[in-house]
Amino acid sequence: MDTAHRSGNTRLATVLMVLSTVLVGLMAGLFFAFDVSVMPGLAAGDERTYVSAMRGFNTAIDGNPLFGTAFVLALPAAAASAVVELRGGRRGTALCVGVAAAAYLAVLVLTFAVNIPLNNQLAEAGAVADMRDFGIVEEFKTTWVTTNIVRTLLSTAALSALARALVLYGRATPGGRP
């Protein structure tokens, strides 16, 4: 492989590795913030405030292109990074990035299977002032919150795997195969 091609592959590998790590880190931080502050804070208030606030959060997140980009791009960036690392002969690094991609895929599956449907139920529950049955709040306090904790753990595991991959990648020498 010529030096220019190797240099291009190294730059691509570096960009993908750093991009994956930053995006997964942002998502892990968002999920963690909900676990330790947002949801406990909402649980301390009344049901109407809970519903109004969750609807507001969901509207803000759904309409935010920065969130959408980070949320969606983290997986393909990690998957592409794993492929580049594997093709570069860095199996250990590729394995760590692959584990991160798999953990983040699980985050996406949980989000689309559990959290988004619950968000949609909450959005479709009618005007807050007219609500009489706040059973959806109990669903959030159990299912949504528990699932978010799992998303936090999975995205943190993905971030940890990416951190390990960065260490291995940094140790790699042009002829080495970490």
Side-chain angles (χ1 to χ4, degrees), residues 17-33 70-71 73-75 78 100 104 107 151-152 154-163 166:
M17 186 84 61
V18 170
L19 180 63
S20 301
T21 305
V22 168
L23 293 175
V24 169
L26 288 170
M27 296 312 304
L30 176 73
F31 297 137
F32 179 72
F71 180 69
L73 191 58
L75 180 60
Y104 193 75
V107 168
R151 294 189 303 174
T152 301
L154 286 167
S155 57
T156 302
L159 181 59
S160 298
L162 287 165
L166 282 168

Side-chain angles (χ1 to χ4, degrees), residues 2 5 12 15 23-24 38 44 60 63 72 81 83 89 92 116 119 127 135 138 149-152 158 164-165 174:
D2 65 47
H5 185 67
L12 176 62
V15 167
L23 293 175
V24 169
V38 174
V72 172
S81 182
V83 169
I116 290 174
N119 291 346
E138 289 308 312
I149 291 168
V150 174
R151 294 189 303 174
T152 301
R164 177 66 180 151

Side-chain angles (χ1 to χ4, degrees), residues 24-144:
V24 169
L26 288 170
M27 296 312 304
L30 176 73
F31 297 137
F32 179 72
F34 267 80
D35 290 339
V36 300
S37 62
V38 174
M39 300 314 283
L42 286 177
D46 66 85
E47 285 85 359
R48 290 185 197 287
T49 301
Y50 195 101
V51 172
S52 294
M54 281 305 299
R55 284 178 176 175
F57 297 144
N58 291 331
T59 299
I61 285 175
D62 289 347
N64 189 312
L66 288 174
F67 168 80
T69 300
F71 180 69
V72 172
L73 191 58
L75 180 60
S81 182
V83 169
V84 168
E85 291 305 298
L86 190 58
R87 286 187 178 167
R90 295 176 295 275
R91 289 187 194 120
T93 306
L95 178 62
C96 288
V97 180
V99 165
Y104 193 75
L105 175 60
V107 168
L108 293 178
V109 168
L110 278 173
T111 300
F112 285 103
V114 179
N115 296 84
I116 290 174
L118 286 172
N119 291 346
N120 292 341
Q121 283 180 331
L122 188 66
E124 297 164 1
V128 175
D130 298 335
M131 289 179 74
R132 301 287 174 252
D133 178 13
F134 287 93
I136 188 70
V137 174
E138 289 308 312
E139 182 93 22
F140 263 83
K141 287 180 179 177
T142 55
T143 306
W144 196 99

